[in-house]
Amino acid sequence: MARGCKNYENFLKTPGVGPFTAAMLCVLLCDPAIFANGRQFAAYIGLAPRSRGSGGKNFIIGIPSKFNCDSESRAVFVECAQALARYKNKSPWVDGILRRKPKKVAVIAIANKLARQVWAMANKGESFKQMTILTA
């Protein structure tokens, strides 16, 4: 059934995402317009801090606990991030964050970025594009 989804093949081209994760993403992002942006999608999964407020004052609450979010999806994204952390040919961003931060913090940051990238891919209908870093 997931192979019938228009974004299934695009999801499979993403590093760290396998067939199970791609099928789960087809269900979560069948209509990516439900979320206004990638940050809202990551917050729904539990990978980004939630914010509340009104009257121009926003308060960042923090990353939700495992009971206040979609914990199954969060676990799958963390597994994908751990796979990215184990790659031999890591992207410079992943390599840099693994050097700067403790491993568990870095894995959550990688999972957060992966969730935002996947939402953008589903929203635009494009496949994964590896960003190149230009050096002077």
Side-chain angles (χ1 to χ4, degrees):
M1 289 177 65
R3 287 188 181 112
C5 179
K6 62 181 179 181
N7 290 320
Y8 180 75
E9 295 298 326
N10 293 340
F11 292 149
L12 281 177
K13 294 176 185 174
T14 308
V17 175
F20 176 77
T21 308
M24 181 202 64
L25 288 171
C26 286
V27 172
L28 279 175
L29 294 172
C30 61
D31 182 19
I34 293 171
F35 304 102
N37 52 34
R39 188 190 182 292
Q40 281 188 358
F41 177 64
Y44 169 76
I45 293 173
L47 295 171
R50 293 191 182 194
S51 61
R52 288 194 182 161
S54 64
K57 291 188 177 188
N58 289 326
F59 303 100
I60 295 178
I61 298 169
I63 293 179
S65 65
K66 67 179 182 176
F67 300 110
N68 296 333
C69 62
D70 188 3
S71 58
E72 291 84 11
S73 301
R74 178 187 165 116
V76 170
F77 271 101
V78 170
E79 292 272 339
C80 293
Q82 288 173 344
L84 281 174
R86 288 191 301 260
Y87 273 178
K88 287 183 181 178
N89 300 326
K90 300 178 189 90
S91 73
W93 184 84
V94 171
D95 195 33
I97 199 159
L98 284 169
R99 276 189 273 115
R100 289 190 313 268
K101 300 286 182 184
K103 182 152 184 169
K104 289 184 180 182
V105 173
V107 166
I108 295 296
I110 294 166
N112 182 6
K113 185 172 183 175
L114 182 64
R116 291 175 187 225
Q117 287 175 338
V118 165
W119 178 87
M121 288 170 35
N123 195 34
K124 295 177 183 177
E126 298 177 353
S127 62
F128 182 78
K129 295 177 189 171
Q130 183 68 36
M131 300 297 289
T132 57
I133 297 176
L134 301 175
T135 57

